Amino acid sequence: MTKKPLRNHKFDQIDDAERPRHVAPGGRSGCWERPQVVAVGRRSRLVRRSQIDTTRATSGCRCGEVALRSGSDFALSLLGAGATSPCRSRRSLRSVNGERPRGLALGGAARGASTPARRLSLQRHSGSLTSSGLAREPSDQSDNGGGKMKGLFKSKPRTPADIVRQTRDLLLYADRSKSLPDLRESKREEKMAELSRNIRDMKSILYGNSEAEPVAEACAQLTQEFFREDTLRLLITCLPKLNLETRKDATQLVANLQRQQVNSRLIASDYLEANLDLMDVLMEGFENTDLALHYGAMFRECIRHQIVARYVLESEHVKKFFDYIQLPNFDIAADAAATFKELLTRHKSTVAEFLTKNEDWFFTDYNSKLLESSNYITRRQAIKLLGDILLDRSNSAVMTRYVSSRDNLRILMNLLRESSKSIQIEAFHVFKLFAANQNKPADIINILVANKSKLLRLLADLKPDKEDERFEADKSQVLREIAALEPRDLA
């Protein structure tokens, strides 16, 4: 066939060479590799024509060796077992067959010109060419492309509402898992671990962490979504299935949600008003040793809402506290006592209404089960709480009726004789109401007169551990009232 020169390329005319099928004829072709030919691209960023120097046959240079003029003694042997034919020209590399080594392209424009077995990457570094090795990873350009692809599929940050919805789904799964025994244990553990993380994340949103304070908008979103559906009910129901740390997080989460306001409104109160039966579930929790403290803390926070406190006071639940306070487990008994105190002191108008309607059975049980209990802690807590109730102005009518009872006076006089000074001090604050009452019934006066000498001697020796001017003033007034009493005939 007719021999034609290859135009627009940087190759000299090669004998017996024809244009390969896959090489574009243009001088800017993206692929400079011809079969068994090495191309040096005119626009190559890596190797310039001036940087390649091949020696003539007389210099002993073997075909396929490349020398760099930059002063570097770096040389690459392009052929594993090269031919011995000398190079014919300074601008071309020839083998014994008049062809260039196969499978190697020198030039920045050669994309995909290397074979899998042998790829060479040349980089310019500090004014010289260096080799980065064979079988190199794709170029930085492809790496950047991969980074962009990763960015496209990056997961979106979850909003507080998303976390609540996902938590609700996981709670539904946990609630159903007991009825599906064929579920794999590994899958169940994975779901429960995810549930624990979500509860911890919600707690962090509401309380903040060491790095950031809670954000009001995020708290509002979480609170709205939490009470939009029965997430609270699911959390209370599934509490026994959670581990100890997650129970603690859940308890703190519920406690904080009772205080969260959305548009200046406590939406937790609205939710509980429509779901008052949840208080029945929490009350039953006091009877479970493992869950009593968690349910008790939730219960105590829920009765911050007046509508909830009224429901509990008007139910039979309030009577159960007299038993819970005397449980042998000290922690549970103390927690029940704290809840009982919160119930009887927070909402004053509701408590006054309750005591007015139920003072007969309430104080009868209070005296017999708490004030006369054999447990020292129970007596001490009960007498202190009694003083808080009676000394509150909203309960003045209840207090007047209480101090008119001789049975109540008898119990208080016995508490004044306790060996514990703490109980004596607390009993004095209630006893002074009997002495200061200006409308004492005759039977009360006669009891005080009959025990006048003992009371005067006992009260004179009663002193708090720390100096208290108010206490001393009250004591002096009581001593004067008792000393001035005279017996009175019963009507």
Side-chain angles (χ1 to χ4, degrees):
M1 62 185 297
T2 306
K3 300 179 181 178
K4 295 180 181 181
L6 300 176
R7 297 175 182 177
N8 296 328
H9 289 276
K10 297 171 74 174
F11 302 103
D12 293 337
Q13 182 175 349
I14 303 174
D15 297 338
D16 299 329
E18 58 181 347
R19 186 184 307 280
R21 288 177 298 175
H22 68 280
V23 177
R28 296 174 180 267
S29 171
C31 180
W32 289 94
E33 180 181 349
R34 296 187 176 89
Q36 302 181 0
V37 174
V38 176
V40 180
R42 179 180 299 167
R43 293 178 178 272
S44 171
R45 297 179 182 175
L46 299 179
V47 181
R48 298 180 183 275
R49 184 188 308 174
S50 61
Q51 292 174 318
I52 301 179
D53 182 16
T54 57
T55 60
R56 299 183 182 275
T58 56
S59 65
C61 176
R62 309 185 83 186
C63 188
E65 292 183 354
V66 180
L68 307 181
R69 287 187 177 181
S70 60
S72 170
D73 56 357
F74 171 72
L76 294 175
S77 178
L78 301 178
L79 298 177
T84 58
S85 175
C87 299
R88 297 180 182 179
S89 172
R90 184 182 282 270
R91 298 177 62 187
S92 64
L93 298 174
R94 297 176 182 272
S95 67
V96 291
N97 297 324
E99 299 174 346
R100 299 182 189 275
R102 178 182 305 202
L104 181 65
L106 295 178
R111 300 184 184 93
S114 58
T115 63
R118 195 176 289 214
R119 288 163 52 189
L120 183 64
S121 174
L122 298 176
Q123 300 177 349
R124 185 182 302 275
H125 180 66
S126 302
S128 63
L129 294 172
T130 60
S131 172
S132 60
L134 299 177
R136 192 75 171 172
E137 292 296 324
S139 64
D140 292 342
Q141 188 173 1
S142 63
D143 288 344
N144 291 338
K148 292 178 181 178
M149 290 298 292
K150 290 179 181 178
L152 290 175
F153 295 100
K154 187 176 181 181
S155 60
K156 224 168 92 176
R158 296 185 302 169
T159 64
D162 292 337
I163 298 176
V164 175
R165 283 191 288 268
Q166 187 179 19
T167 302
R168 187 184 302 127
D169 294 339
L170 291 170
L171 287 170
L172 286 170
Y173 170 85
D175 190 42
R176 293 194 306 263
S177 62
K178 64 180 179 181
S179 60
L180 300 173
D182 56 335
L183 287 175
R184 289 182 304 172
E185 185 65 21
S186 58
K187 181 179 179 182
R188 196 186 79 83
E189 291 179 357
E190 180 182 350
K191 293 286 187 181
M192 297 306 290
E194 187 177 0
L195 175 59
S196 298
R197 287 193 297 270
N198 281 1
I199 293 175
R200 186 167 58 250
D201 290 344
M202 289 192 291
K203 173 189 166 186
S204 298
I205 292 173
L206 294 176
Y207 285 93
N209 51 42
S210 58
E211 299 177 357
E213 293 293 326
V215 179
E217 183 178 355
C219 294
Q221 291 178 12
L222 190 151
T223 305
Q224 281 182 312
E225 185 62 33
F226 192 90
F227 290 109
R228 193 186 308 278
E229 298 185 28
D230 273 348
T231 309
L232 178 59
R233 182 182 297 276
L234 285 170
L235 186 59
I236 292 173
T237 304
C238 295
L239 197 67
K241 301 173 185 177
L242 306 178
N243 59 47
L244 179 59
E245 290 303 319
T246 307
R247 289 176 188 173
K248 293 179 180 178
D249 291 338
T251 302
Q252 295 177 18
L253 173 66
V254 172
N256 190 290
L257 285 169
Q258 307 309 311
R259 303 182 178 94
Q260 290 294 330
Q261 294 189 12
V262 179
N263 298 327
S264 303
R265 186 174 182 82
L266 290 169
I267 62 176
S269 178
D270 298 336
Y271 175 84
L272 288 173
E273 184 176 2
N275 297 272
L276 289 171
D277 61 298
L278 282 177
M279 304 310 295
D280 303 336
V281 179
L282 293 176
M283 278 297 298
E284 294 175 0
F286 281 98
E287 299 175 8
N288 187 323
T289 306
D290 296 330
L291 300 171
L293 296 180
H294 305 294
Y295 280 138
M298 290 183 183
F299 187 97
R300 195 159 48 251
E301 292 298 328
C302 288
I303 60 176
R304 294 171 61 91
H305 310 297
Q306 190 165 7
I307 186 67
V308 179
R310 180 179 288 110
Y311 169 78
V312 175
L313 287 172
E314 292 176 354
S315 69
E316 294 295 315
H317 294 318
V318 67
K319 296 181 179 181
K320 296 179 180 179
F321 280 102
F322 294 116
D323 298 323
Y324 294 157
I325 291 174
Q326 300 185 78
L327 289 173
N329 187 307
F330 173 79
D331 293 331
I332 298 177
D335 188 79
T339 304
F340 192 51
K341 178 180 179 180
E342 182 77 7
L343 185 64
L344 293 173
T345 56
R346 172 168 286 277
H347 306 287
K348 301 184 184 303
S349 60
T350 302
V351 172
E353 181 182 351
F354 162 76
L355 292 175
T356 301
K357 294 178 180 179
N358 302 277
E359 62 179 320
D360 291 337
W361 72 261
F362 179 82
F363 286 115
T364 299
D365 286 356
Y366 198 98
N367 292 340
S368 61
K369 294 182 178 180
L370 301 183
L371 292 180
E372 295 182 322
S373 170
S374 59
N375 188 299
Y376 161 77
I377 298 296
T378 301
R379 295 197 306 276
R380 178 177 175 179
Q381 291 175 336
I383 187 59
K384 188 176 188 312
L385 176 58
L386 179 62
D388 294 339
I389 294 173
L390 297 179
L391 289 170
D392 194 294
R393 291 183 179 180
S394 60
N395 297 324
S396 58
V398 176
M399 181 269 292
T400 301
R401 289 190 291 271
Y402 184 87
V403 299
S404 299
S405 169
R406 58 184 298 170
D407 291 333
N408 295 338
L409 177 59
R410 177 184 58 80
I411 292 174
L412 265 296
M413 291 175 63
N414 288 331
L415 289 174
L416 283 173
R417 299 171 55 196
E418 281 273 354
S419 58
S420 170
K421 182 175 290 188
S422 298
I423 293 180
Q424 285 181 319
I425 297 295
E426 297 299 338
F428 170 79
H429 290 301
V430 178
F431 176 78
K432 69 184 180 183
L433 298 176
F434 287 87
N437 183 14
Q438 299 302 313
N439 298 311
K440 300 181 188 68
D443 55 347
I444 297 295
I445 294 176
N446 291 336
I447 291 175
L448 292 175
V449 171
N451 296 276
K452 180 187 297 187
S453 60
K454 294 180 180 179
L455 287 172
L456 293 176
R457 185 169 60 253
L458 179 64
L459 294 176
D461 297 336
L462 183 61
K463 293 181 181 179
D465 293 332
K466 295 182 180 179
E467 186 175 351
D468 188 342
E469 295 181 358
R470 176 66 180 274
F471 178 84
E472 292 298 332
D474 291 343
K475 187 176 74 170
S476 300
Q477 179 66 25
V478 170
L479 290 173
R480 288 195 296 270
E481 290 287 344
I482 295 176
L485 288 176
E486 296 293 336
R488 188 175 296 180
D489 295 333
L490 296 176

